[in-house]
Amino acid sequence: MPKLKVDGVEIEVPQGATVLQACELAGKEIPRFCYHERLSIAGNCRMCLVEVKPGPPKPQASCALPAAENQEIFTNTPMVKNAREGIMEFLLINHPLDCPICDQGGECDLQDQSIAYGRGHSRYAENKRAVTEKYMGPIVKTVMTRCIQCTRCIRFAEEVAGVEEIGAIYRGENMQITSYLEEAVTSELSGNVVDLCPVGALTSKPYSFEARPWELTKTLSIDVMDAVGTNIRLDSRGRQVLRALPRTNDDVNEEWATDKTRHAVDGLVRRRLDRPFIRRAGKLVPATWDEAFATIADVAKSAGGSVAAVAGDLVDCETMFAAKALLASLGSSLLEGRQTGMDYDTSSLGAVNFNSTIAGIERAEAILLIGTNLRWEASLVNTRIRKAIKRGAKVWAIGPETELTYKATWLGSDLAVLGDLPEALTEAFGAAERPAVIVGGGALKGAHGAALGLVETLGLIKDGWNGFNVVHMAASRMGGLMLGYAQPAGIAALHDAKLAFFLGADECDFSAFTGFKVYVGHHGDKGAAAADVVLPGASYAEKSGTWVNLEGRVQRGNRAVFPPGDAREDWTIFRALSAVLGAVLPFDTLGELRAAMALDCPELANEGLVTFAWNPPSLDRTAQGVMQGYPIKDFYLTNAICRASPTMQRCSAELVHGETLAEATE
């Protein structure tokens, strides 16, 4: 480990570190525009100049210079100061300086660094260059006259997203950043270039001209659009969430978020349920809470213990526990969270968990994907696979061929291939210290036993490593399984219940349920349309809740805004209903509910990664069936919030279905 001095302070840095990283370890702030910790080094903005001895008597770019033994680095000499001021002047030569109308205003690196490291006056007299706007799709708005050619967006698209559709054309002063043929960027991660852009060249199109950052209330929360559990920050003004931004968590999402995570928030204020409804003469009519509860109570009296609860994909653990407690007081344990009809074995949670962990899968050396389109089912796990490939991992896949953004050897769609894997695969897995199998929803039902058999066949479990992984697609799935939301026969066991509660469940076959249906949710979607009584609940942004991601990580989000109208937090609805039914639940506050939930499921008591015991069930190892497709047919319209979002509808139309959407001037 090299030892060197930074402004006279001796430090020791890891082998391979750059001078910029050494300066940061010494507590020095180095300005930069093109350098980013998670992208390759470009070294083209030259803002990170420092003075280095021994070396030529001129400033050097610290981001591209390796740290070496006995170096002396100076970050605040007159030479460095003058050099940075000169670079800042060059960067601002053609910049339009339109901060008052720029959406990046208030959180712009160029603003901040021009104040901190630029000159205190301007010397410009010449005309500025203008660049025509580029079209990058429904998510990213461009004002390319502001661009300083840092190339962060290009490197992100190529290295992280795996979609090489952003690049540079022309040279020198005429250089421009554009998408391929100025068409929409087809990546489900395209919104991240807005965060990466250090100026206002790339901004959020749905959020355009909505608010300034100092107007917004920031709330830490957890994303529910998939099962990854992306850590997010919800920015709200008044009673509306205006945007969702990712928070850095290296164990889960690093600092990225999918476009669905970012931009489905405009669906939170559309098609909302804001009052109870009761079906009378075939139509849903508005009602009071007392009337709705009285109607449910009448049905519950005759239902006996024939009461069921179906958990939707977005629901939190508190809601599921409150419903479970209410059903238990009525003498029922008919709970199910796999609303689409899957009925795989859940006797061992370790056998349905992502055991390698999201961050750990980066270290896998051989990977077999079984029935999963990771790009749509867990986009931020897919980026980890790309990182594993860069380290030398090889990937095989079983299922219909699809574009995963990396090279995979496809073995066909017949699940029976699990019983006769090619020799090249078995040899690679035999030589790998960290082999991994990832089973998706497309194969979990027909090939769960066969996939578990690979644990022995391919040697997936080694000292400190468990390479058996299952990908879930619903934010509520692992929490629901921990709380017992699973029946051996699947959701079919609930069809004959005389009273069924649907907790934000919109994807199940409601025609199969013969009894009285009560929908507790936040959007007037499929579930509300099929219900006999509708009770308006709160979305994930309107309540504090606990969610468990696909790797078994317990995480908690906070309430950003209040539900609209008469809508209430879901657990409070079940608490109030329990009093009407004569079976009062033993909690009145969120804290009391969480204490009771911790007694029922101790793993939910604290945030953090839960380690499930590895005791897989003995299942039939014969894989059956030919996969015709994957569970997710449209990445942008997977739940009620997305379907209510104009942005997600446009993304679906343009990026999935290929519709041509004209701009206003067209």
Side-chain angles (χ1 to χ4, degrees):
M1 295 176 68
K3 291 183 179 179
L4 46 86
K5 288 184 178 181
V6 178
D7 290 340
V9 178
E10 188 174 52
I11 62 168
E12 191 173 12
V13 299
Q15 191 70 40
T18 64
V19 168
L20 187 150
Q21 292 169 328
C23 293
E24 290 190 331
L25 285 174
K28 301 296 180 179
E29 181 178 342
I30 304 297
R32 83 291 299 269
F33 290 113
C34 68
Y35 176 80
H36 191 276
E37 293 81 358
R38 303 186 196 277
L39 302 176
S40 61
I41 295 172
N44 54 9
C45 78
R46 321 306 287 180
M47 193 64 202
C48 62
L49 295 172
V50 296
E51 189 176 348
V52 181
K53 294 182 180 178
K58 64 178 183 179
Q60 299 190 59
S62 60
C63 69
L65 184 67
E69 188 76 26
N70 297 324
Q71 271 181 337
E72 287 190 65
I73 302 166
F74 303 93
T75 66
N76 53 11
T77 62
M79 179 195 295
V80 171
K81 182 176 183 296
N82 290 333
R84 289 175 179 170
E85 288 178 354
I87 292 296
M88 182 61 70
E89 275 197 294
F90 275 117
L91 292 176
L92 292 174
I93 281 177
N94 285 311
H95 196 79
L97 305 179
D98 52 4
C99 303
I101 62 164
C102 178
D103 278 312
Q104 199 88 328
E107 47 192 8
C108 173
D109 291 346
L110 188 64
Q111 277 184 333
D112 297 341
Q113 294 187 38
S114 64
I115 294 298
Y117 302 102
R119 294 185 183 274
H121 60 278
S122 174
R123 300 187 291 181
Y124 302 143
E126 294 80 11
N127 293 328
K128 292 179 179 285
R129 174 187 74 148
V131 180
T132 57
E133 307 310 342
K134 316 298 181 186
Y135 182 72
M136 289 192 178
I139 298 299
V140 181
K141 174 188 173 184
T142 65
V143 184
M144 301 312 292
T145 302
R146 302 170 186 160
C147 180
I148 62 170
Q149 291 87 40
C150 71
T151 69
R152 280 186 180 183
C153 54
I154 298 175
R155 284 176 284 148
F156 173 84
E158 179 181 349
E159 299 166 13
V160 180
V163 178
E164 299 181 11
E165 295 178 359
I166 304 178
I169 56 176
Y170 312 133
R171 301 180 64 187
E173 186 185 29
N174 296 319
M175 180 178 175
Q176 298 180 25
I177 307 296
T178 181
S179 60
Y180 179 67
L181 297 180
E182 292 194 32
E183 293 185 350
V185 179
T186 58
S187 173
E188 61 286 343
L189 299 171
S190 64
N192 290 289
V193 300
V194 173
D195 289 348
L196 287 172
C197 185
V199 297
L202 304 178
T203 54
S204 170
K205 187 173 287 187
Y207 176 69
S208 178
F209 304 128
E210 287 288 338
R212 288 298 196 186
W214 53 84
E215 299 178 82
L216 303 174
T217 300
K218 284 84 171 174
T219 307
L220 306 185
S221 189
I222 302 298
D223 174 56
V224 298
M225 296 296 141
D226 56 25
V228 173
T230 302
N231 289 216
I232 59 174
R233 190 189 82 197
L234 295 175
D235 288 359
S236 58
R237 182 178 60 193
R239 302 191 68 167
Q240 182 176 354
V241 175
L242 294 179
R243 65 177 179 177
L245 298 176
R247 290 185 284 134
T248 300
N249 187 330
D250 288 334
D251 293 328
V252 182
N253 59 294
E254 298 181 286
E255 61 184 77
W256 316 126
T258 68
D259 292 347
K260 189 161 54 174
T261 298
R262 291 174 179 273
H263 297 296
V265 293
D266 59 354
L268 291 173
V269 293
R270 292 171 170 85
R271 302 185 191 174
R272 288 303 301 268
L273 298 172
D274 59 359
R275 69 188 72 180
F277 290 85
I278 299 176
R279 188 173 298 278
R280 291 177 178 148
K283 293 185 178 181
L284 289 173
V285 297
T288 65
W289 281 101
D290 290 340
E291 290 172 338
F293 284 169
T295 303
I296 297 171
D298 290 340
V299 177
K301 289 178 183 177
S302 59
S306 183
V307 185
V310 181
D313 291 350
L314 314 182
V315 70
D316 55 297
C317 291
E318 286 81 357
T319 298
M320 289 188 283
F321 175 73
K324 176 183 178 180
L326 179 61
L327 262 64
S329 68
L330 298 175
S332 173
S333 61
L334 291 174
L335 307 169
E336 183 56 73
R338 298 165 295 178
Q339 55 175 326
T340 55
M342 300 188 73
D343 57 358
Y344 50 85
D345 188 283
T346 59
S347 58
S348 169
L349 292 184
V352 291
N353 185 51
F354 202 91
N355 295 291
S356 298
T357 71
I358 295 173
I361 199 67
E362 289 181 12
R363 300 184 292 121
E365 299 159 345
I367 302 170
L368 173 61
L369 307 178
I370 307 174
T372 176
N373 177 8
L374 271 182
R375 183 174 176 182
W376 279 8
E377 295 172 11
S379 305
L380 295 178
V381 175
N382 203 50
T383 62
R384 303 280 188 161
I385 303 293
R386 288 183 53 80
K387 294 176 76 172
I389 291 173
K390 290 177 182 177
R391 297 181 179 184
K394 295 182 179 179
V395 179
W396 288 263
I398 298 174
E401 287 197 31
T402 185
E403 176 52 58
L404 294 171
T405 73
Y406 46 80
K407 182 181 178 181
T409 302
W410 292 90
L411 305 179
S413 299
D414 191 345
L415 294 175
V417 74
L418 289 171
D420 186 22
L421 293 170
E423 185 177 349
L425 183 151
T426 55
E427 288 180 356
F429 271 74
E433 293 184 9
R434 289 178 291 273
V437 165
I438 300 177
V439 186
L444 198 53
K445 185 174 182 178
H448 193 190
L452 283 171
L454 297 178
V455 172
E456 299 175 8
T457 306
L458 299 179
L460 300 181
I461 296 182
K462 302 180 183 294
D463 186 27
W465 175 262
N466 185 336
F468 184 81
N469 304 289
V470 170
V471 174
H472 297 295
M473 293 159 279
S476 64
R477 184 71 75 245
M478 282 304 294
L481 294 179
M482 292 167 70
L483 288 169
Y485 273 74
Q487 300 293 316
I491 201 169
L494 281 60
H495 286 165
D496 295 329
K498 295 180 180 179
L499 174 60
F501 291 94
F502 296 89
L503 317 181
D506 292 290
E507 318 302 330
C508 52
D509 181 8
F510 296 98
S511 63
F513 287 83
T514 59
F516 193 85
K517 295 182 276 291
V518 178
Y519 180 78
V520 184
H522 39 77
H523 275 76
D525 205 76
K526 302 172 185 176
D532 297 301
V533 171
V534 175
L535 303 178
S539 71
Y540 74 102
E542 297 152 4
K543 58 187 172 184
S544 297
T546 303
W547 287 271
V548 185
N549 74 352
L550 53 82
E551 62 180 349
R553 186 178 300 276
V554 179
Q555 302 184 110
R556 285 183 176 153
N558 300 309
R559 181 177 62 197
V561 292
F562 289 94
D566 290 334
R568 298 290 183 266
E569 292 185 42
D570 304 58
W571 74 265
T572 65
I573 294 174
F574 288 105
R575 169 61 183 82
L577 179 59
S578 69
V580 177
L581 298 179
V584 181
L585 296 178
F587 44 79
D588 295 319
T589 66
L590 181 63
E592 292 175 356
L593 183 151
R594 284 179 171 168
M597 184 170 68
L599 292 176
D600 181 73
C601 184
E603 293 86 356
L604 295 175
N606 299 298
E607 294 185 83
L609 190 64
V610 177
T611 302
F612 298 109
W614 180 252
N615 51 351
S618 299
L619 304 176
D620 182 5
R621 296 190 177 184
T622 304
Q624 299 176 344
V626 177
M627 285 192 60
Q628 303 299 324
Y630 297 101
I632 296 180
K633 306 301 181 185
D634 190 328
F635 172 77
Y636 298 99
L637 301 178
T638 52
N639 58 61
I641 299 176
C642 292
R643 288 190 285 269
S645 164
T647 304
M648 293 297 99
Q649 291 172 10
R650 177 168 178 180
C651 287
S652 171
E654 184 170 358
L655 303 178
V656 177
H657 300 290
E659 296 181 16
T660 301
L661 298 176
E663 295 288 281
T665 56
E666 298 175 325

